Amino acid sequence: MPTTTIKRALVLSGGGFAGGAWMLGLIHTLREGGVDLGDADLVVGTSAGARTGAQLATGVLDEVVAMNRHAAALQIQGAAKLEEFLAASMRIIGKVGDEQQAARRIANLEPLGPGLVSEAERRRVIASHLPVQAWPAQRLVVTAVEADSGSRVTFDADSGVGLLDAVTASGALPGIFPLATINGRRYADGGVHSLYNADLAAGHDIVVVVSPMPLDGYLQGKLDAEVAVLGEATVRVILADEASLATIGPNPLSADTERVVNAGAAQAQREIDAVRSAWPAR
C-alpha cells in the first residue's frame, strides 16, 4: 500500500535581536526534550526569524545558543527603538488603504533616530551570528520587501542571492537600519509585508509558527488571514508568554542574550507537551 508523507513547515517571525535569542532558546530546549522543530521540510524566516532559521537549517543552532549564553548584551549604538518604527508604520497603514503601497512607503521611511545604523557594523554583527553562510540542503525561504514597489520577495538556494545577503535584507528595518542592495535593487525587512509570512507554508500538513512578538488586533488579523491560506493544515502558534515578554523587554532591538535565551528555554519546558502533540516524531 502507498504511504502518505506528512509535510511539515516551521515559520519563524520577526522580533529583533532579543526575539531571535528567545527563539534560539526555545527551539534548542524543545530539541533536547525530543521535539525537533528543525525536522521540517520547509523553514520560512522573516527578519530575526530569517537569522534563526538560517542558524537552524545550517546545523549551527547549538553553537549559536552557546555563543549567545556567553555574549555581552547586544545593542547596536545609535538605533531608534522598535516602538518608534511600529508607530510610524501604523500611521502609514492607517492612511494608506492599499497594503502594497503602504509597504512601499514604510520601506522608504526616513531615519527615525539621529541617523541610520552603520551598514558595515550591522552586516558584521549578522555575519558573526551565521557561522555557516552557504545555503543549506534543507529548504529555507527568507522573506524581504522590494523597496521601490513594496512587493514581497523571497530568497532561497535557487535565487542566486547569497545567504548572508538574504538574511541581511530580511532584517533591514526601515528608518533604523540601511536598506540592503542586491543586484541593484533595494530591499527592506520582510516584516514590512508581514511579521510572519505564514502563507508561504501552504501545501504543508503541519505548520508551527513561532513568534516572540505580542499580538495586537492588527497582527492577529494578519496571522489569521495567513493561517486561512493553509487550509486543512494542523497549525500550532507558539507566542512568547508573559514571563518571556518580561525578559525580552520593551525594545527587542537590544538583548541581554543570556537571559533571553534562558527565557526561551524555560518557556519550551512549559510548552513541550503541547508542542509534541502538534509535532510528533517521525
Side-chain angles (χ1 to χ4, degrees):
M1 294 179 62
T3 57
T4 301
T5 300
I6 296 176
K7 297 174 65 178
R8 306 176 186 218
L10 174 64
V11 176
L12 303 174
S13 90
F17 294 124
W22 175 83
M23 287 188 280
L24 285 172
L26 180 92
I27 295 168
H28 174 74
T29 302
L30 288 174
R31 175 185 281 178
E32 286 187 327
V35 181
D36 186 5
L37 295 181
D39 183 21
D41 300 286
L42 168 68
V43 178
V44 177
T46 296
S47 197
R51 187 172 63 253
T52 304
Q55 293 161 341
L56 177 63
T58 58
V60 299
L61 184 76
D62 293 350
E63 176 183 346
V64 177
V65 167
M67 180 175 69
N68 275 268
R69 280 182 164 148
H70 295 92
L74 179 59
Q75 183 170 10
I76 295 183
Q77 298 301 317
K81 295 181 179 180
L82 182 63
E83 64 184 2
E84 296 174 75
F85 167 77
L86 296 176
S89 297
M90 292 311 297
R91 285 195 294 270
I92 292 172
I93 291 168
K95 292 178 181 177
V96 181
D98 181 84
E99 287 193 359
Q100 184 171 330
Q101 289 307 308
R104 183 183 63 80
R105 289 184 58 179
I106 294 168
N108 289 280
L109 278 171
E110 294 295 322
L112 296 169
L116 298 177
V117 170
S118 161
E119 183 173 4
E121 172 63 9
R122 178 171 175 266
R123 187 176 178 85
R124 183 196 65 77
V125 170
I126 294 171
S128 71
H129 284 74
L130 288 180
V132 175
Q133 295 176 12
W135 285 97
Q138 184 178 26
R139 174 90 167 130
L140 170 66
V141 172
V142 171
T143 70
V145 166
E146 204 275 321
D148 291 337
S149 67
S151 60
R152 179 177 69 184
V153 296
T154 59
F155 301 115
D156 60 17
D158 298 324
S159 64
V161 172
L163 180 59
L164 177 58
D165 286 332
V167 173
T168 301
S170 186
L173 202 62
I176 297 177
F177 301 139
L179 301 188
T181 300
I182 302 173
N183 298 328
R185 293 182 178 272
R186 298 180 307 125
Y187 294 97
D189 195 300
V192 171
H193 175 83
S194 167
L195 189 66
Y196 316 100
N197 292 290
D199 56 303
L200 294 174
H204 291 75
D205 305 294
I206 298 175
V207 180
V208 168
V209 180
V210 180
S211 179
M213 297 292 287
L215 283 175
D216 58 17
Y218 174 76
L219 291 177
Q220 184 72 69
K222 292 284 286 188
L223 183 56
D224 287 347
E226 293 171 11
V227 168
V229 174
L230 304 180
E232 297 182 359
T234 298
V235 180
R236 170 82 184 182
V237 179
I238 305 173
L239 301 174
D241 62 17
E242 186 174 343
S244 291
L245 289 173
T247 304
I248 290 170
N251 182 29
L253 296 183
S254 63
D256 181 336
T257 54
E258 180 179 6
R259 291 184 66 242
V260 178
V261 167
N262 290 340
Q267 183 168 343
Q269 293 171 341
R270 294 190 290 271
E271 297 204 26
I272 190 166
D273 290 338
V275 179
R276 182 180 286 112
S277 66
W279 193 273
R282 291 187 189 271

